[in-house]
């Protein structure tokens, strides 16, 4: 095994969320603060105990954003010894690292998502969102300024990966479709989900094609939302009136792709596989010990890839796996005959949150805050968030007895 001194030494003690909506009529900072206040209250701590903040986005100077500078000032937190901004799965890992290293004792992690002008025609007609886009967090030259510097981050590269997967393994798009159906079915039972009407595999194939073979149902749903977590040492957590959820193992991942998607090295040789192997190398638990599985679904192809990287099946076999694991009564899959997949509906149904809602739901279910009738009480959750190309994180959480 690889070294894993962090094993079960850091815990999540608080979770806070906003509603998920096409338009919350507030700024990114406003919804980030709501989630943060909810998480602090959930943890039962005084805000001045927070000495580390991981905010949302890529720069602390985005006007109206939920970066660490704005969060600390608005919350009135006097002193921090560690601050950073991040996104996708890696932001959680950064916060855990800060606590374990001793740079901070208690970290507030806030992640926000907004329906921006690049995501829908309705958003592009909204004067407020147009102005916010002029001053928002774009991470340098991402999609703006000199076209030669443009970082192409949209559905096109993922659609190409989907087509290559289907070609190389001689399969159709059922794996992507069944993942979308599974998440929609769970979302239909989640009162917070934006997309709650049922979806069948036939319905999936009838949704509008965006970039062949990617369809509308393969893409997460743009919303306004925010999620926040409070993270501290497991030792401190045991002194609080909460049920902590510990981080058993985690890993990031990167390959030589760099920043250009066209350098994609292949289905099994990319950042998701590297991160997942790094996780299993550090974990005393195995896949058979996992009770809940949360593969990131920014696009359905991400979730299929994470499922295969986790070892639930061999490359190219996700479609067959999902069909053999299908619970037709509830229109969902149960991997290994019992493991629920993204039971909150994920980005494809609950709404686009950069994966932060997967961490939040996993913690709530492991604490027992959310129960599913007829299901065993979960003791561990595998969360995989991120892109084939950047910011992937694989995290294994477990509840303390």
């Amino acid at each position: 095994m690889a070294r894993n001194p962090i094993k079960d030494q850091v815990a999540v003690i608080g979770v806070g969320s906003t509603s998920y909506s096409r338009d919350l009529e507030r700024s990114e900072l406003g919804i980030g603060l709501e989630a943060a206040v909810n998480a602090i209250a959930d943890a039962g701590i005084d805000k001045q105990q927070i000495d580390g903040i991981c905010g949302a986005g890529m720069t602390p100077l985005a006007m109206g954003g939920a970066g660490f500078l704005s969060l600390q000032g608005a919350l009135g937190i006097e002193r921090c010894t560690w601050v950073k901004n991040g996104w996708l799965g890696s932001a959680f890992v950064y916060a855990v690292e800060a606590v374990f290293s001793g740079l901070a004792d208690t970290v507030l992690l806030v992640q926000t998502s907004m329906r921006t002008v690049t995501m829908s025609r309705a958003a592009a007609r909204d004067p407020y969102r147009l102005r916010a886009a002029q001053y928002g967090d774009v991470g340098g030259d991402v999609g703006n300024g000199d076209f030669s510097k443009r970082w192409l981050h949209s559905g096109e590269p993922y659609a190409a990966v989907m087509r290559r997967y289907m070609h190389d393994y001689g399969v159709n798009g059922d794996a992507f479709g069944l993942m979308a159906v599974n998440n929609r079915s769970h979302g239909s039972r989640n009162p917070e989900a934006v997309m709650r009407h049922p979806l069948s595999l036939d319905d999936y194939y009838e949704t509008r094609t965006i970039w062949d073979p990617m369809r509308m149902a393969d893409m997460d749903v743009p919303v306004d939302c925010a999620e926040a977590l409070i993270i501290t040492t497991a030792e401190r957590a045991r002194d609080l009136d909460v049920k902590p959820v510990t981080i058993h193992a985690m890993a990031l991942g990167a390959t030589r792709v760099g920043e250009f998607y066209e350098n994609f090295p292949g289905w099994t040789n990319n950042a998701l596989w590297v991160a997942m192997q790094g996780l299993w190398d550090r974990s005393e638990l195995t896949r058979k010990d996992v009770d809940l599985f949360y593969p990131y679904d920014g696009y359905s192809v991400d979730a299929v890839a994470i499922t295969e990287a986790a070892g639930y099946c061999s490359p190219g076999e996700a479609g067959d796996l999902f069909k053999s694991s299908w619970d037709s009564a509830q229109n969902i899959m149960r991997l290994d005959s019992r493991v629920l997949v993204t039971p909150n509906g994920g980005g494809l149904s609950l709404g686009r949150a950069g994966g932060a809602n997967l961490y939040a739901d996993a913690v709530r279910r492991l604490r027992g805050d959310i129960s599913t009738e007829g299901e065993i009480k979960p003791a561990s959750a595998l969360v995989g968030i991120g892109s084939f190309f950047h910011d992937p994180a694989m995290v294994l959480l477990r509840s303390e007895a």
Side-chain angles (χ1 to χ4, degrees):
M1 289 181 63
R3 291 188 310 111
N4 186 25
I6 206 169
K7 179 174 69 73
D8 301 322
Q9 298 302 303
V10 178
V12 180
I13 58 169
V15 188
S17 307
T18 66
S19 298
Y20 280 60
S21 171
R22 297 283 283 177
D23 189 358
L24 287 178
E25 299 184 341
R26 279 175 288 161
S27 69
E28 209 165 343
L29 176 58
I31 63 175
L33 288 170
E34 179 186 341
V37 169
N38 290 342
I40 293 168
D42 183 60
I45 63 172
D46 185 279
K47 65 183 180 182
Q48 300 304 342
Q49 293 179 255
I50 295 170
D51 56 358
I53 298 176
C54 185
M58 304 299 289
T59 169
L61 301 176
M63 185 180 294
F68 61 79
L69 282 172
S70 298
L71 289 168
Q72 183 176 359
L75 289 168
I77 295 173
E78 295 296 336
R79 290 174 173 269
C80 283
T81 56
W82 177 85
V83 289
K84 188 179 180 67
N85 285 342
W87 66 327
L88 286 178
S90 56
F92 181 89
V93 173
Y94 299 152
V96 173
E97 289 173 344
V99 170
F100 181 72
S101 70
L103 287 173
D105 291 329
T106 304
V107 169
L108 166 66
L109 167 64
V110 175
Q111 293 290 280
T112 58
S113 185
M114 297 287 285
R115 187 171 60 93
T116 66
V117 297
T118 62
M119 294 178 181
S120 75
R121 283 174 290 189
R125 292 192 297 267
D126 184 333
Y128 171 80
R129 292 174 194 272
L130 281 168
R131 181 164 179 79
Q134 295 175 341
Y135 299 101
D137 177 359
V138 296
D141 289 314
V142 178
N144 292 280
D146 185 349
F147 185 81
S148 66
K149 298 179 181 178
R150 183 171 183 260
W151 182 46
L152 185 65
H153 180 72
S154 189
E156 304 99 311
Y158 296 90
V161 171
M162 292 172 71
R163 175 60 67 192
R164 180 65 181 268
Y165 174 85
M166 294 163 64
H167 172 273
D168 287 355
Y169 295 107
V171 297
N172 59 20
D174 283 0
F176 312 121
L178 290 170
M179 182 62 71
V181 172
N182 173 82
N183 290 15
R184 182 67 62 82
S185 296
H186 282 300
S188 69
R189 294 181 276 273
N190 182 352
E192 293 297 325
V194 172
M195 303 294 285
R196 298 188 62 196
H197 55 278
L199 185 74
S200 69
L201 187 58
D202 287 341
D203 294 333
Y204 164 81
Y205 279 115
E206 291 176 4
T207 60
R208 181 159 57 96
T209 299
I210 306 301
W211 297 280
D212 187 39
M214 182 178 286
R215 302 173 182 278
M216 182 68 79
D218 290 306
M219 305 170 70
D220 57 9
V221 184
V223 294
D224 295 350
C225 67
E227 299 281 356
L229 300 169
I230 306 293
I231 299 168
T232 191
T233 65
E235 182 180 10
R236 287 185 179 85
R238 296 183 188 106
D239 293 332
L240 300 173
D241 188 23
V242 298
K243 181 179 181 180
V245 172
T246 60
I247 294 83
H248 177 70
M250 62 184 191
L252 301 174
T255 57
R256 58 174 175 77
V257 171
E259 60 184 307
F260 297 105
Y261 282 20
E262 59 266 32
N263 291 339
F264 182 60
W267 182 253
T268 62
N269 184 26
N270 58 68
L272 296 175
W273 261 261
V274 172
M276 189 63 80
Q277 185 60 54
L279 173 79
W280 293 132
D281 286 348
R282 288 162 175 78
S283 173
E284 292 181 0
L285 304 179
T286 70
R287 183 177 58 77
K288 294 294 185 181
D289 298 310
V290 172
D291 296 319
L292 297 169
F293 181 42
Y294 293 85
Y296 175 61
D297 59 343
Y299 300 100
S300 64
V301 65
D302 290 309
V304 170
I306 293 169
T307 301
E308 294 188 353
Y312 282 102
C313 64
S314 297
E317 295 181 357
D320 290 338
L321 170 71
F322 296 164
K323 291 172 185 175
S324 67
S325 306
W326 203 254
D327 178 343
S328 57
Q330 296 196 46
N331 212 28
I332 60 173
M333 64 182 80
R334 296 178 186 273
L335 301 184
D336 292 337
S337 301
R338 62 181 184 83
V339 178
L340 295 181
V341 179
T342 320
N344 66 340
L348 295 177
S349 184
L350 173 56
R352 175 190 178 95
N357 53 16
L358 306 185
Y359 287 127
D361 192 71
V363 170
R364 288 188 172 109
R365 290 180 188 270
L366 291 175
R367 295 194 312 191
D369 299 348
I370 303 173
S371 61
T372 305
E373 186 177 351
E375 304 298 334
I376 63 171
K377 185 177 180 180
S380 64
L382 173 59
V383 183
I385 299 175
S387 162
F388 287 94
F389 313 99
H390 63 85
D391 296 283
M394 306 299 162
V395 177
L396 195 52
L397 303 169
R398 68 178 180 180
S399 59
E400 287 210 332

